[in-house]
Amino acid sequence: MRNLIVKIAIASGKGGTGKTFISTNLFNVLQKQEMNLALVDCDAEEPNAKLFLTEGKLKNTYEVNQKVPVVDESKCTYCGKCAEYCNYNAIFFLKEAKVINVLEDLCHGCGACSVACSYSAISEKNNLLGYVNTFEFSPKSALIEARIKVGVYSSVNVIKAAIKKASDFNLVLFDAPPGTGCPFIQTVVQADYVVLVTEPTPYGLSDLKQSIETLKGMNKSYGVIINKAGLGDEKIYDYLNKENIPLLMSVPFDKNIAVSYSKGELLTDLNSEWEEKFSQLYNTIREEYGNSSN
Amino acid sequence: MEIAVISGKGGTGKSSISAAFATLQKEVVLADCDVDAANLYLLFNPVCEEEQIVISGQKAVINQDKCIACGECIDYCRFDAIIKKDDKVSIVETFCDGCLLCSRICPQDAIDIIDEDKSRIYAGSFKNGKMVYGRLAPGEENTGKIVSKVREKAKQIAKEFGIKTIIIDGPPGIGCSAISAIIGVDSVVVVTEPTLSGLHDLKRTLEITTSSNLQTSVIINKCDINPEMSSKIEAYCNQKHIEVIGKLPFEPLVVEAMVKCQSITDFAPDAEISKLIGNIYSKIRATT
């Protein structure tokens, strides 16, 4: 078996299957065992982990910015080369009317327009994309939260910055954003092992398949947790069997669990049996990762 | 008229509610804009009539025959997507944002640009009208763009067949794909649940809809899971002058309907939950 897993992403295609439920409880249990670890809340559009992990003290807040161009019209010759270089249609340009506008929402901050301009008419300013908040639980453990400013289109830069902040920890858990688009990919690409949380419904299964297809393309090893077991049907179990995908844990559908979740309570604080199960989950993940990387 | 159903937090019941709305409407174009987790085609099994390629973006690839490993592109790339290892320069596809700057500045003209063209949108018929849905290819990333294409196609079909109502099943979150799903619609319905996370995410979602001046209403789904939190959400919405247009209890029949590949209103038309959803939909129609 490998020594230590460095980075584990907890992800799901379908939203609301229990990613945050799993990652906050896993963090809680391992943190109590005084492990050196960080949980990075990479769901920057809707970060929720802190709602459950209330004991962490805010240690610092770091702003994440993106460069956007500013056009100095006294120097601009309206040649249009910047608009031609911009592959995101973020420069609105009308040659005859001498109109040039930067559409900041569309800008990705690549800097191509500055390179294109031969008249030093483009400078850059910082636009705030969001924050990385670090909450300390002990000198050895922290929650690092990526949080985009409301109205910002892409969470990718904020997620990347948050993950970077976690580089000093021995074990890092990622609470990944839902779906299989850029925020998901930019999170799981940095992980050594991916835990996919799903539910036994047709939607859950369909989205699980799509996530797995994406992970296969990225050569990631993964296992599955079924949450809300007992709801829906059995098809997901057939699929896991057929594809030989490890089932890491199963959490039954239970109204009491749903109610405690709704209040922001951690199951592993309320119930020692679940504390033991989450501790075991970590061992299972380590074993699975060891097997898959042999 | 376009009605978008979104949620902020995932798993609140957005798709089940959009499916019910779509089957309550006699003639509809249903646009599944949750393109990286599209599910409604499972329910309605539409007969596919049209497939359209979407160029979701572009990626840079180094032509190793021409590259002299000068590394100039590495200095220009702001996405840390270009690396040099053993005197060989290569591009990490996942990090490449497709800005093309490297290909423009390469002194050897050694960087090619390829289209990401594996994502698709599909249009077809189902029992209540037409349906458009997208499929993000594994590894392709620009969901916002695909969402816009799905909506464009839905509008075109609505016009072509004289269908007046478009129902959009939106993605979770508040980023580019969610914004693309709601820009310019006539009515946004936000489905939330009475949990701390639900309320937190609802607040961020409502910030987006109000700053975009969109007609917005809220449904509290599974309201009996935590009645106290439900009241908190209602109070918050009242304070923000946003109508809570309905509250729905947790109902296992909804999951059963999903397993049977039907909307809840088709599966159990006489059940209390279906009546409640019917009332909500009538209210939305009346106020839009």
Side-chain angles (χ1 to χ4, degrees), chain A:
Chain A
M1 207 218 287
R2 285 264 176 108
N3 293 333
L4 194 69
I5 295 179
V6 184
K7 293 163 183 166
I8 305 167
I10 292 112
S12 76
K14 182 176 175 340
T17 55
K19 277 179 308 298
T20 305
F21 167 74
I22 299 291
S23 56
T24 51
N25 277 295
L26 187 58
F27 174 82
N28 186 43
V29 165
L30 299 179
Q31 193 265 118
K32 282 188 188 162
Q33 294 173 8
E34 296 185 2
M35 283 181 62
N36 179 311
L37 90 156
L39 168 62
V40 186
D41 191 345
C42 296
D43 190 359
E45 293 178 33
E46 304 285 20
N48 287 332
K50 184 62 179 68
L51 299 172
F52 299 88
L53 299 167
T54 49
E55 279 169 32
K57 299 266 177 305
L58 182 64
K59 196 178 146 210
N60 58 57
T61 293
Y62 168 83
E63 287 186 357
V64 183
N65 291 294
Q66 179 200 302
K67 298 255 185 267
V68 291
V70 180
V71 181
D72 179 348
E73 292 204 46
S74 69
K75 291 182 183 163
C76 179
T77 63
Y78 303 96
C79 70
K81 199 175 171 194
C82 56
E84 181 200 318
Y85 261 48
C86 178
N87 204 28
Y88 307 103
N89 300 316
I91 296 179
F92 179 74
F93 173 67
L94 295 171
K95 194 174 180 71
E96 302 304 323
K98 295 196 171 178
V99 170
I100 185 158
N101 281 319
V102 176
L103 308 172
E104 293 184 359
D105 284 343
L106 298 180
C107 175
H108 286 214
C110 70
C113 52
S114 305
V115 175
C117 183
S118 313
Y119 306 96
S120 310
I122 295 182
S123 57
E124 290 185 316
K125 63 170 183 176
N126 276 328
N127 264 15
L128 181 65
L129 295 176
Y131 306 92
V132 175
N133 297 314
T134 302
F135 301 92
E136 214 175 48
F137 289 77
S138 76
K140 287 200 292 192
S141 61
L143 164 66
I144 299 170
E145 176 191 73
R147 175 179 287 265
I148 59 163
K149 197 180 90 177
V150 174
V152 166
Y153 279 41
S154 169
S155 54
V156 167
N157 287 330
V158 184
I159 294 172
K160 279 186 179 168
I163 293 177
K164 223 175 237 174
K165 289 263 171 211
S167 52
D168 292 339
F169 293 88
N170 292 344
L171 171 65
V172 184
L173 308 176
F174 300 146
D175 186 358
T180 54
C182 357
F184 166 80
I185 288 179
Q186 295 299 336
T187 302
V188 296
V189 71
Q190 309 231 26
D192 302 301
Y193 189 83
V194 183
V195 175
L196 291 166
V197 185
T198 187
E199 58 182 42
T201 63
Y203 293 173
L205 177 56
S206 160
D207 297 343
L208 177 69
K209 286 179 181 168
Q210 194 164 344
S211 311
I212 285 177
E213 232 185 295
T214 304
L215 291 177
K216 275 184 181 165
M218 297 170 78
N219 278 321
K220 293 285 170 189
S221 40
Y222 50 84
V224 168
I225 291 177
I226 295 183
N227 190 15
K228 310 180 201 174
L231 273 186
D233 59 12
E234 300 290 310
K235 285 192 180 127
I236 204 150
Y237 300 95
D238 300 340
Y239 171 75
L240 294 183
N241 272 332
K242 206 179 106 220
E243 298 288 322
N244 209 8
I245 296 166
L247 177 60
L248 306 168
M249 186 165 84
S250 186
V251 181
F253 176 74
D254 175 342
K255 210 162 176 182
N256 294 325
I257 294 180
V259 170
S260 70
Y261 172 86
S262 78
K263 295 180 191 159
E265 293 168 350
L266 287 168
L267 187 59
T268 45
D269 276 345
L270 301 173
N271 182 319
S272 60
E273 207 177 302
W274 278 105
E275 190 179 353
E276 178 52 37
K277 279 184 187 166
F278 271 87
S279 186
Q280 182 54 42
L281 170 66
Y282 176 60
N283 294 330
T284 311
I285 293 170
R286 283 189 57 167
E287 268 170 41
E288 283 299 335
Y289 177 60
N291 293 338
S292 64
S293 59
N294 276 340

Side-chain angles (χ1 to χ4, degrees), chain B residues 24 63 85 126 143:
Chain B
L24 287 165
N63 180 339
K85 206 173 151 190
F126 79 113
T143 45

Side-chain angles (χ1 to χ4, degrees), chain A residues 13-16 44-48 51-52 67 84-85 87-88 108-112 115 124 147-148 150-153 160 164 178-182 185-186 189 201-203 206-207 210 213-214 231-233 253 255 258-259 261-264, chain B residues 8-11 15 35-43 58 76 78-79 94-95 97-101 104-105 135-136 138-139 141 143 172-176 179 183 194-197 200-201 204-205 207-208 224-226 229 250 255 258-259:
Chain A
K14 182 176 175 340
E45 293 178 33
E46 304 285 20
N48 287 332
L51 299 172
F52 299 88
K67 298 255 185 267
E84 181 200 318
Y85 261 48
N87 204 28
Y88 307 103
H108 286 214
C110 70
V115 175
E124 290 185 316
R147 175 179 287 265
I148 59 163
V150 174
V152 166
Y153 279 41
K160 279 186 179 168
K164 223 175 237 174
T180 54
C182 357
I185 288 179
Q186 295 299 336
V189 71
T201 63
Y203 293 173
S206 160
D207 297 343
Q210 194 164 344
E213 232 185 295
T214 304
L231 273 186
D233 59 12
F253 176 74
K255 210 162 176 182
V259 170
Y261 172 86
S262 78
K263 295 180 191 159
Chain B
K9 182 178 180 329
S15 296
V35 296
D36 48 341
N39 285 325
L40 288 177
Y41 74 96
L42 292 170
L43 223 56
Q58 289 170 314
Y76 279 97
R78 289 194 181 172
F79 303 98
T94 320
F95 291 143
D97 200 70
C99 74
L100 316 192
L101 182 56
R104 298 191 200 273
I105 56 87
R135 172 121 177 121
L136 181 74
E141 301 183 18
T143 45
I174 56 166
C176 65
I179 293 174
I183 280 176
T195 63
L196 263 186
S197 314
H200 169 271
D201 297 353
R204 284 166 73 82
T205 308
E207 256 187 79
I208 296 273
D224 50 342
I225 293 271
N226 186 336
M229 188 64 71
F250 174 74
V255 182
M258 194 202 294
V259 171

